[in-house]
Amino acid sequence: MARGRQKPKPYTKLMSLLALSGTNSLSGGYEIDNSVKLEADNTEFFSRTPSSNTNRQTFTYSTWVKRTELGINGAILDAYQDGANMFLLQFDTSDRFVAYNIDSGTDYGYHYTRKFRDTSAWYHIVFVSDTTNGTASDRYQLYVNGERISNSDIDVDYGTPPQNYNNNLNSTITHNIGKRGDGPTYNSCYLAETHLVDGTALAPTAFGEFDEDSGIWKPKAYTGSYGTNGFFLDFADASDLGDDESGNGNDFTENNITAADQAVDSPTNNFCTINAVVGTDSTISEGATKFTNHGVNGWETFVATMGAGTSGKWYAEFQVVDHGYGDNFIGISPIDDPDLNRGFGTSFAYLGSDTSLDESVGYYAAGGNRYIGGGTASYGNSYTTTDIMSVAVDMDNGKLYFAKNGTWQNSGDPTSGSTGTGALDVRGATKPQTISGSVYYANHAMKANYGGFTTISISSPQSDGNGRGVFEFAPPSGYYALCTKNLAEYG
């Protein structure tokens, strides 16, 4: 039987989980098909050492990044010789962006004030160095989603580089993507469409543009040259993710990166992941698709960055990593459930427990029962670490279905529409639902697959009817992966 807890007082600070605005993901026009997932715990990064010094004064770096872990030193570009000689672009432990160079112990650069904590969004970062510029404030320029971040908007000021200053980038020292050389420390994120242009200071409009209808910043194809040490990583070849597509042959070495780290989550089709903003005590890793309970026994429920909207039919897969006594749930809850969505570290509620709204639904691993409002009834088979579990949510008809290894439980038929053959009812069906899971035991984990990336082993890749997402089992007809293109069409 699921372990209970006392019913809490209503939690008043609600957080919206339907994170679509600001995702910089639009259909149509230039398409980016792939990204690469980097995980700090796995020390995954790219490296290259240029064979010659080139232009160390003027260059442009452009990349799209989707953060999956906050509060870490997450480098997106580094050129490192030693602690007294390095160039660095990174997010710091306060989630500020840092542009920094130190040469022979003398340093210049900035920690910008703005914090980058939206783990549901793709950010477009463009950094321009032009130390030949006679205007001191224009020698380092940072743009995020097409907007110039002022050099007066800074928390830490190491000083503006002097005119004609030589950075350590484009020198014959090791260049890293995803690793900061001193420490070292590593990044957890997705990266896509990554360019270095050697010898030219470019505007962000060389790589992106504002959509004329929505006003959202979106990618466009770069058509210029790259210079000698320039490169373009599109992460399209899973067998060679460090392959330079600029024509220069400046390939990067993949360090602890394999073909399995390629993702279809991209700036032009942003996929749902586990929400890393809600809560801090538990661990979210592997591209925000793996949830590990904090170090004390107690129910923790993770939530998603995108909700199954009030219309449409939606699909996701899950796998229990640590079975224990089977104290795990998969299921759904409204995004405004204050007890389930309040954050981690409080040993609080599980899906289907007796919360102040009583609108979540959970499918229990140990006995296969369904839980609603803390009450339980027979439903399906138990499941364990060897099983891949599917969740199908029909928001058009307010019906919920679960499958074990492709077999729909309770003789369910997700295509049965309003009849709801074998279905459970979606409680609070007028509200967007988060499809997620609950874990009881300390340090036990669960993997999620919303279609954009997963570490669940996929033996026979399947996609939804629009050809989107990568799953072990084909979503039922009319059900779709939670991504911005599908939500724009059906949600």
Side-chain angles (χ1 to χ4, degrees):
M1 180 176 180
R3 288 163 173 76
R5 44 132 203 115
Q6 294 186 354
K7 190 169 183 176
K9 296 179 181 179
Y11 184 63
T12 57
K13 185 177 180 181
L14 305 181
M15 176 177 287
S16 172
L17 303 178
L18 187 58
L20 295 180
S21 61
T23 57
N24 307 303
S25 298
L26 296 174
S27 300
Y30 182 63
E31 295 291 332
I32 298 174
D33 294 327
N34 295 108
S35 62
V36 65
K37 180 274 303 176
L38 299 180
E39 172 55 50
D41 291 343
N42 302 336
T43 63
E44 297 169 353
F45 68 102
F46 296 93
S47 61
R48 171 182 178 265
T49 302
S51 60
S52 62
N53 293 321
T54 55
N55 199 321
R56 297 167 58 186
Q57 299 170 339
T58 305
F59 51 83
T60 304
Y61 187 68
S62 167
T63 191
W64 289 81
V65 57
K66 180 177 178 179
R67 305 194 68 198
T68 59
E69 184 177 351
L70 303 179
I72 63 171
N73 283 315
I76 60 172
L77 182 64
D78 162 280
Y80 180 76
Q81 177 176 312
D82 54 43
N85 297 274
M86 65 183 294
F87 173 85
L88 179 66
L89 299 178
Q90 73 159 21
F91 299 99
D92 70 8
T93 56
S94 297
D95 303 311
R96 303 168 300 185
F97 194 80
V98 178
Y100 177 80
N101 193 86
I102 182 170
D103 189 75
S104 300
T106 301
D107 52 4
Y108 301 99
Y110 315 105
H111 288 244
Y112 292 86
T113 303
R114 191 170 303 190
K115 298 179 186 296
F116 299 91
R117 289 177 169 163
D118 189 350
T119 58
S120 71
W122 280 91
Y123 293 110
H124 184 214
I125 305 293
V126 174
F127 177 78
V128 181
S129 172
D130 182 11
T131 64
T132 68
N133 199 308
T135 302
S137 61
D138 288 338
R139 291 175 193 155
Y140 281 176
Q141 301 173 39
L142 174 66
Y143 298 85
V144 179
N145 297 342
E147 175 191 354
R148 172 82 183 268
I149 308 300
S150 172
N151 286 2
S152 63
D153 184 18
I154 56 176
D155 277 347
V156 180
D157 186 355
Y158 296 102
T160 300
Q163 193 166 17
N164 299 318
Y165 175 73
N166 283 320
N167 296 283
N168 282 298
L169 197 79
N170 288 329
S171 66
T172 56
I173 61 176
T174 303
H175 289 44
N176 301 302
I177 295 174
K179 175 186 176 180
R180 174 173 166 167
D182 61 331
T185 58
Y186 301 88
N187 203 354
S188 291
C189 66
Y190 296 95
L191 290 175
E193 195 83 357
T194 300
H195 304 263
L196 175 66
V197 179
D198 177 5
T200 308
L202 295 170
T205 49
F207 311 96
E209 60 189 351
F210 289 104
D211 183 76
E212 61 183 12
D213 295 320
S214 68
I216 292 175
W217 184 255
K218 65 180 184 180
K220 75 175 188 182
Y222 174 65
T223 59
S225 59
Y226 284 89
T228 302
N229 274 333
F231 56 82
F232 170 37
L233 306 183
D234 65 358
F235 311 114
D237 184 352
S239 66
D240 189 8
L241 289 167
D243 184 39
D244 172 24
E245 292 293 315
S246 73
N248 283 344
N250 292 328
D251 296 346
F252 277 72
T253 299
E254 301 96 0
N255 298 273
N256 303 314
I257 293 171
T258 70
D261 293 309
Q262 187 188 58
V264 297
D265 197 332
S266 89
T268 55
N269 193 17
N270 187 23
F271 277 77
C272 182
T273 57
I274 296 173
N275 196 319
V277 175
V278 182
T280 56
D281 281 1
S282 295
T283 300
I284 294 174
S285 59
E286 297 293 359
T289 64
K290 182 181 178 182
F291 172 84
T292 304
N293 199 353
H294 65 301
V296 179
N297 291 347
W299 285 111
E300 300 291 351
T301 297
F302 63 85
V303 294
T305 57
M306 298 179 186
T310 56
S311 62
K313 299 178 176 68
W314 308 102
Y315 179 83
E317 294 177 345
F318 299 88
Q319 186 174 48
V320 173
V321 177
D322 305 286
H323 185 60
Y325 294 98
D327 276 341
N328 301 284
F329 282 89
I330 57 173
I332 61 172
S333 67
I335 63 170
D336 66 345
D337 188 319
D339 302 329
L340 287 164
N341 300 341
R342 66 180 296 169
F344 316 136
T346 53
S347 300
F348 214 68
Y350 55 87
L351 291 166
S353 60
D354 180 19
T355 67
S356 55
L357 289 184
D358 285 344
E359 292 179 344
S360 69
V361 181
Y363 176 17
Y364 188 41
N369 285 6
R370 66 97 176 117
Y371 277 68
I372 300 172
T376 183
S378 178
Y379 171 73
N381 296 315
S382 61
Y383 55 94
T384 184
T385 57
T386 58
D387 302 311
I388 296 178
M389 307 302 296
S390 303
V391 181
V393 186
D394 179 354
M395 293 302 294
D396 292 334
N397 296 289
K399 304 297 180 184
L400 171 65
Y401 305 85
F402 296 97
K404 175 182 175 178
N405 298 325
T407 299
W408 294 99
Q409 302 296 285
N410 198 36
S411 301
D413 179 6
T415 65
S416 59
S418 59
T419 302
T421 302
L424 299 172
D425 289 331
V426 177
R427 298 161 69 86
T430 60
K431 307 170 184 177
Q433 304 284 316
T434 176
I435 308 174
S436 55
S438 304
V439 178
Y440 179 80
Y441 280 102
N443 303 313
H444 281 202
M446 184 181 293
K447 297 178 181 179
N449 182 12
Y450 298 102
F453 177 81
T454 189
T455 55
I456 296 173
S457 179
I458 304 296
S459 62
S460 54
Q462 305 289 326
S463 298
D464 66 23
N466 284 337
R468 295 168 185 154
V470 180
F471 300 101
E472 175 63 14
F473 300 101
S477 178
Y479 286 75
Y480 298 97
L482 279 166
C483 60
T484 49
K485 285 190 174 182
N486 284 338
L487 284 164
E489 188 171 356
Y490 304 111

